[in-house]
Amino acid sequence: MTTTTAPTAATGPDRCPLPSPRGPLSEAMTALLTGAGRTFPRVADADPYGEDLQLALALSHELVYRGVAGVEDDLEWDPAQLAARAEMQDHFLAALRADVAGGDDLDDVIEELLVEPADGEGVSHHFARDGEAWQFREYVAHRSHYHRKEADPQSWVVPRLQGAAKSGLVSVQNDEYGAGRGARMHSTLYADMMAELDLDPTYGAYLERTPWPVLAEVNLQTTCGLRRSLRGAAVGQFAVIELTSSPASARLVQGIRRMGLGPATEHFYAEHVEADAVHEQVLRRDVLRPLLELEPGLARDVVFGIQATEHLGGCFAAHALPAWREGRTSLLALLT
Amino acid sequence: MSADAAPAAAAEEPRRNRVVVSDDGPLLVDGPVEISLPDGRTVSADRPVVAICTCQRSSIYPLCDTSHRRRHRRKGLR
């Protein structure tokens, strides 16, 4: 399961390997994608925060990124696949709307994001304090579901924006994509770190064992990106990433040094300390401000995007931290 | 200046680097830049926009690491 081949040596385009189904929805989605079936079960009965729905939705969403191994590219626009995706997105969004506080006081919500808790109990605090290297490898395997396509889910919102907000957001994306240098793309830096940690940097290598909270975070990003009606929420979830990443990355750098991990690993997070300190400013000044000047009515959606992202981040911490405390794997199967 | 000359004149306008002064955070400077420090060190920063620390609390000084942010006691999940 381990390889040290960096993806720069890839011989063809990335394709996500097809994972094992986790229930009726992911089984039916797999059948849709492989041509083995055309029906989809009732979504309303499924747990919106369950392994089955989140994997089925992640599979459907993967078609808008690099695609799934063995699946026809045109299935991206297959009506049955799209109908199943929309129904799962609606079910998931309804659950999130019910579980967050809501409101439209964006200044207040941003203020809260910018205050660093002195007694934080989250994942980055765990690693800064006393997390162990095997847990950190698991963390990196989890997060590869996002970071191997880092910035891609946020790019969907670009054509939905206009004026200064679009320009500001693209300037942040330019930095995420390495400002014209492929080797500096954050998704590439992540692959370098994975190789250094003796993890498989192949796109989608850990989807099989990635639990629902991680899938749900990216599913929310993709849902907001693909739906123009949720452009405010897409910017909101982008803001959470950019506003909270710098101090969290600094704590991870602290932990990485304490655990004695390698230079590529430290560099990935050190880069985010520096980059996201800039991105925070650009997001507030050059994205959120002009967006809300143009469309003040979007404040409620931006707040929803922020709160839903925070909620799912909390679900991941509530999943991983107890497992690590008890010496169990936080993945669906142990890393080798 | 004739109307015809206006576009050419505009094109010759130098592209100025922007420095943004914020009331609660770093200076934002168009990169790449070289920053000379009082102790003789020079720090290069290549990104398109560079955030320069003004609160002197940054652990990666002279660059900003968001250490200027307020801290308070609350349960954090990050």
Side-chain angles (χ1 to χ4, degrees):
Chain A
M1 199 63 206
T2 58
T3 167
T4 51
T5 310
T8 41
T11 51
D14 290 331
R15 288 280 184 276
C16 185
L18 193 61
S20 318
R22 298 177 192 173
L25 298 179
S26 47
E27 206 159 308
M29 181 55 72
T30 303
L32 271 173
L33 298 187
T34 55
R38 297 289 300 163
T39 58
F40 206 76
R42 207 178 126 80
V43 170
D45 300 333
D47 178 1
Y49 302 133
E51 295 292 347
D52 186 32
L53 181 140
Q54 292 298 336
L55 179 65
L57 192 49
L59 270 176
S60 164
H61 283 162
E62 211 47 55
L63 301 179
V64 308
Y65 297 108
R66 314 286 204 281
V68 179
V71 173
E72 289 292 329
D73 285 350
D74 273 338
L75 271 159
E76 181 185 349
W77 290 98
D78 175 72
Q81 187 277 120
L82 288 174
R85 176 195 297 171
E87 212 181 328
M88 289 189 288
Q89 288 177 339
D90 284 338
H91 192 50
F92 178 37
L93 287 168
L96 287 172
R97 288 200 190 277
D99 286 341
V100 301
D104 59 3
D105 191 344
L106 183 58
D107 289 342
D108 197 50
V109 173
I110 295 276
E111 187 70 13
E112 186 69 10
L113 280 182
L114 289 176
V115 176
E116 276 302 302
D119 58 349
E121 293 177 339
V123 171
S124 63
H125 290 91
H126 168 72
F127 285 116
R129 216 165 27 228
D130 55 8
E132 296 173 36
W134 68 271
Q135 298 164 348
F136 190 76
R137 283 183 81 230
E138 289 200 351
Y139 177 70
V140 172
H142 279 292
R143 305 305 310 169
S144 66
H145 183 57
Y146 171 65
H147 288 289
R148 289 296 287 116
K149 54 176 168 285
E150 183 165 347
D152 288 344
Q154 290 73 39
S155 287
W156 294 117
V157 80
V158 172
R160 283 89 156 84
L161 303 176
Q162 68 180 65
K166 184 204 289 277
S167 187
L169 191 136
V170 169
S171 79
V172 173
Q173 291 295 76
N174 181 42
D175 216 13
E176 300 283 347
Y177 288 127
R181 300 191 192 188
R184 290 191 191 175
M185 281 204 289
H186 289 177
S187 56
T188 306
L189 298 180
Y190 203 84
D192 295 344
M193 167 171 70
M194 291 182 82
E196 183 175 86
L197 290 168
D198 206 16
L199 291 166
D200 184 353
T202 308
Y203 188 86
Y206 295 102
L207 180 58
E208 176 77 27
R209 52 183 96 180
T210 302
W212 77 265
V214 178
L215 304 181
E217 278 183 72
V218 179
N219 282 334
L220 174 67
Q221 296 174 357
T222 307
T223 298
C224 295
L226 292 180
R227 293 190 177 199
R228 194 173 58 83
S229 62
L230 289 174
R231 61 196 177 283
V235 173
Q237 67 80 17
F238 195 18
V240 175
I241 297 179
E242 303 299 340
L243 269 58
T244 63
S245 151
S246 192
S249 297
R251 286 189 287 272
L252 291 175
V253 167
Q254 195 184 327
I256 286 161
R257 288 182 184 154
R258 182 182 54 73
M259 292 182 278
L261 302 174
T265 303
E266 182 172 332
H267 178 63
F268 179 80
Y269 292 101
E271 159 67 13
H272 281 74
V273 173
E274 189 186 317
D276 293 336
V278 178
H279 297 172
E280 170 210 326
Q281 300 291 332
V282 177
L283 242 294
R284 289 161 65 200
R285 208 174 296 275
D286 300 331
V287 180
L288 287 171
R289 195 182 291 169
L291 175 74
L292 291 167
E293 272 167 17
L294 188 71
E295 299 190 85
L298 287 185
R300 186 169 290 275
D301 284 345
V302 177
V303 167
F304 169 67
I306 291 172
Q307 291 176 341
T309 303
E310 290 272 276
H311 174 69
L312 293 174
C315 290
F316 174 68
H319 169 90
L321 292 175
W324 289 336
R325 254 198 310 274
E326 293 159 23
R328 287 185 286 113
T329 178
S330 60
L331 294 158
L332 299 182
L334 207 55
L335 286 177
T336 47
Chain B
M1 184 186 291
S2 76
D4 292 351
E12 281 162 22
E13 179 103 342
R15 187 200 178 280
R16 296 192 180 92
N17 290 324
R18 185 172 57 163
V19 178
V20 179
V21 182
S22 63
D23 49 9
D24 58 348
L27 276 182
L28 301 177
V29 179
D30 285 352
V33 290
E34 251 179 39
I35 308 160
S36 301
L37 297 170
D39 63 6
R41 275 192 307 140
T42 300
V43 174
S44 301
D46 294 338
R47 63 185 60 260
V49 179
V50 180
I52 297 180
C53 173
T54 56
C55 74
Q56 313 257 334
R57 288 208 294 266
S58 176
S59 63
I60 56 169
Y61 189 84
L63 304 176
C64 171
D65 73 347
T66 71
S67 289
H68 55 274
R69 290 184 189 175
R70 288 193 295 114
R71 284 162 198 277
H72 73 171
R73 299 231 150 247
R74 93 174 157 124
K75 298 272 182 246
L77 280 167
R78 290 192 286 277

